[in-house]
């Protein structure tokens, strides 16, 4: 016991170590109890910090370790850019983590400050609840800030570690950010036990038992529509995707997995940027590849049966009045068996350094370029939009990492029947794709909508409106999923009001913490 207490004599190293271990609670390892234990240690370190500087530093070191380990897959992306050394990828992970760690640091600082106000005014039971409520409220707010400050990067919010647990069902009401409170409650039990605050520990355990059973009481039954769908995963790696000599072979893989002897009309889903061809007319001839748009559409049509509609990732070009190309768009297009494009969507939330280079004139001087091939920066689209698919219903579209932004994935004025999330996870390493899938599952729960994912190398999946996998193709495998499209649920409370709910929840938690803190013994 004495050796255990000694560990807490080195709070900064402990914060860094537990932050690193906390990342193992997310996919692909999913050791969520480890994350809860680590979070409990951070809460204890926050409560025992001697001053605000120490509280901030402990939260920041926890976040630094957490993001360096959890975002290790980003380094893999740099291996696909020949102009950049491999080691730069690991430096990029550290630099990004130095910034992202500010958010848990702010959460720890805010919780420490509110708890400090309550010290000396309350008994141990009340003081413990001040800390827990303040920490939960601050964490929700800082995660929400992380989703939009500097364009936002809300990869792996704390609630993503709960996606396989019953408590994830509360995302219908609280959203992903609101799930933070349950993670903090789990950790609170350990904090109270460490403080020998038995009364608080027992009451928190009773509360947790109740909330884990609650989602089963109001979970909607999963059902399917009468719409057949085919999801294709060709297993085309990033290292061969854009090589000109591989275009025919890559298309052959997609075509072979798509053709069907069944004459029943279906929806076909191909991945992000599935083909290098430009399908729209009107560009300067020299930019067509490998032939005219009519030829490219005819090749797609040959993979389809009568009545099919194909929805696929493709590229567009921005052309000015003088015929000059000044940008590109990462798009999704829908084509029918008359070879007509019946709708399209342009990706709105672009990836810095992947789809555009911030401060291009400056960074170009240092030889830096985008990780994705090509010299043109992508142009953002207008935000969540739908594609009407006739008798097949309405598809909401979110391209690749757009799906991670809670409350920003559906057109609020036109609710779709499902969300299609084409992605290219081929440069996300071993950890990125399962983390990406977990966050797509949370969007399904929040919105009460099925999510269809098609990726080049995995993980492609059909996710029902409860966030459960109705079908999936593992990483590194070629295959297809033939199934009926899952049915949507009625709009959830979160679907109606969005992130107003978790922010209001956080404010209530903070007000409650302050109110309890102001009560004298």
């Amino acid at each position: 016991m004495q050796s255990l207490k000694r560990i807490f004599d080195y709070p900064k190293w402990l914060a860094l170590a537990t932050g690193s271990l906390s990342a193992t609670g997310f996919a692909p390892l999913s050791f969520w109890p480890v994350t809860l234990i680590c979070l409990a240690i951070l809460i204890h370190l926050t409560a025992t910090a001697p001053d605000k500087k120490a509280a901030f530093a402990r939260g920041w070191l926890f976040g630094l370790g957490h993001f360096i380990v959890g975002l290790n897959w980003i380094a893999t992306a740099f291996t696909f850019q020949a102009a950049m050394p491999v080691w730069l990828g690991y430096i990029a992970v550290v630099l990004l983590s130095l910034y992202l760690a500010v958010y848990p640091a702010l959460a720890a600082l805010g919780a420490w400050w509110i708890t400090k106000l309550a010290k000396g005014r309350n008994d141990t039971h009340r003081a413990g609840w001040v800390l827990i409520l303040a920490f939960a409220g601050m964490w929700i707010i800082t995660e929400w800030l992380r989703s939009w400050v500097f364009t936002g990067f809300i990869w792996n919010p704390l609630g993503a570690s709960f996606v396989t647990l019953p408590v994830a069902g509360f995302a219908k009401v609280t959203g992903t950010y609101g799930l933070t409170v349950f993670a903090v409650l789990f950790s609170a039990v350990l904090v109270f036990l460490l403080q020998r605050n038995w009364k608080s520990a027992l009451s928190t355990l009773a509360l947790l038992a109740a909330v884990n059973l609650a989602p089963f009481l109001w979970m909607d039954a999963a059902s399917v529509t009468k719409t057949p769908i085919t999801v294709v995963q060709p297993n085309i790696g990033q290292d061969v995707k854009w090589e000109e000599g591989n275009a025919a072979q890559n298309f052959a893989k997609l075509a072979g997995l798509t053709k069907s002897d069944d004459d029943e009309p279906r929806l076909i889903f191909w991945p992000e940027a599935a083909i290098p061809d430009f399908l729209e007319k009107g560009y300067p001839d020299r930019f067509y590849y490998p032939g005219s748009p009519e030829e490219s559409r005819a090749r797609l049509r040959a993979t389809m049966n009568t009545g099919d509609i194909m929805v696929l990732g493709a590229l567009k070009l921005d052309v000015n009045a003088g015929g000059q190309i000044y940008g590109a768009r990462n798009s999704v297009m829908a084509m029918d068996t008359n070879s007509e494009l019946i709708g399209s969507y342009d990706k709105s939330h672009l990836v810095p350094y992947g789809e555009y280079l911030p401060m291009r004139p400056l960074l170009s001087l240092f030889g830096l370029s985008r990780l994705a091939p090509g010299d043109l920066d992508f142009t953002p689209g207008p935000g969540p939009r739908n594609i009407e698919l006739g008798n097949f219903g309405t598809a909401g579209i979110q391209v690749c990492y757009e799906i991670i932004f809670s409350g920003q994935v559906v057109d609020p004025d036109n609710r779709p029947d499902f969300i299609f999330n084409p992605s290219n996870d081929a440069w996300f390493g071993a950890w990125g794709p399962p983390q990406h899938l977990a966050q797509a599952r949370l969007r399904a729960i929040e919105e009460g909508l099925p999510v269809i994912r098609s990726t080049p190398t995995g993980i492609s999946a059909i996710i029902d409106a409860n966030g459960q996998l109705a079908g999936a193709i593992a990483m590194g495998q070629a295959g297809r999923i033939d199934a009926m499209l899952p049915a949507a649920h009625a709009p959830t409370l979160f679907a109606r009001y969005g992130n107003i709910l978790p922010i209001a929840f956080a404010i209530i938690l903070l007000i409650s913490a302050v109110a309890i803190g102001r009560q004298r013994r």
Side-chain angles (χ1 to χ4, degrees), residues 220-473:
D220 296 318
S223 59
V224 296
T225 66
K226 295 182 180 180
T227 300
I229 63 175
T230 295
V231 180
V232 176
Q233 178 174 301
N235 194 30
I236 298 172
Q238 190 69 13
D239 53 339
V240 299
K241 180 178 178 64
W242 297 106
E243 291 185 8
E244 185 174 330
N246 293 328
Q249 179 183 353
N250 292 343
F251 187 87
K253 288 183 179 180
L254 286 160
L257 290 166
T258 303
K259 293 178 180 178
S260 173
D261 295 330
D262 192 339
D263 292 334
E264 186 175 14
R266 61 194 168 139
L267 276 175
I268 302 167
F269 297 100
W270 280 13
E272 177 187 11
I275 56 175
D277 309 44
F278 296 121
L279 301 179
E280 290 187 320
K281 302 176 183 178
Y283 304 147
D285 290 345
R286 66 181 181 279
F287 285 100
Y288 287 154
Y289 176 83
S292 69
E294 291 83 2
E295 292 171 338
S296 298
R297 293 188 204 178
R299 289 201 304 160
L300 294 175
R301 171 65 184 87
T303 69
M304 303 164 63
N305 294 331
T306 301
D308 288 351
I309 290 179
M310 178 181 288
V311 190
L312 75 159
L315 299 177
K316 292 182 181 180
L317 294 175
D318 291 320
V319 185
N320 62 25
Q324 298 295 316
I325 307 296
Y326 65 88
R329 294 178 185 258
N330 189 351
S331 303
V332 172
M333 299 183 185
M335 193 190 83
D336 63 18
T337 46
N338 295 319
S339 297
E340 294 295 326
L341 298 179
I342 60 174
S344 68
Y345 165 87
D346 298 332
K347 184 177 181 181
S348 171
H349 213 132
L350 302 177
V351 183
Y353 303 99
E355 291 169 313
Y356 70 96
L357 187 65
M359 301 178 293
R360 174 174 284 278
L362 175 63
L363 295 181
S364 296
L365 293 175
F366 296 96
L368 296 179
S369 62
R370 292 189 296 108
L371 297 179
D375 296 324
L376 291 174
D377 280 341
F378 283 84
T379 305
R385 295 291 186 274
N386 299 333
I387 296 179
E388 298 295 334
L389 301 174
N391 294 332
F392 291 122
T394 303
I397 310 294
Q398 290 288 285
V399 178
C400 199
Y401 108 127
E402 285 186 310
I403 200 70
I404 74 171
F405 294 93
S406 174
Q408 302 179 39
V409 299
V410 170
D411 183 348
D413 298 322
N414 187 10
R415 179 175 168 85
D417 299 305
F418 65 94
I419 298 172
F420 177 42
N421 176 223
S423 184
N424 181 7
D425 293 357
W427 51 358
F428 283 15
W431 283 38
Q435 291 175 1
H436 205 180
L437 175 65
Q439 291 166 101
R441 293 175 66 177
L442 285 170
R443 299 297 85 76
I445 297 171
E446 289 174 340
E447 302 291 345
L449 293 173
V451 175
I452 312 300
R453 301 194 78 237
S454 177
T455 74
T457 58
I459 304 169
S460 299
I462 298 174
I463 307 168
D464 69 23
N466 290 322
Q468 301 300 308
L469 296 181
I473 306 173

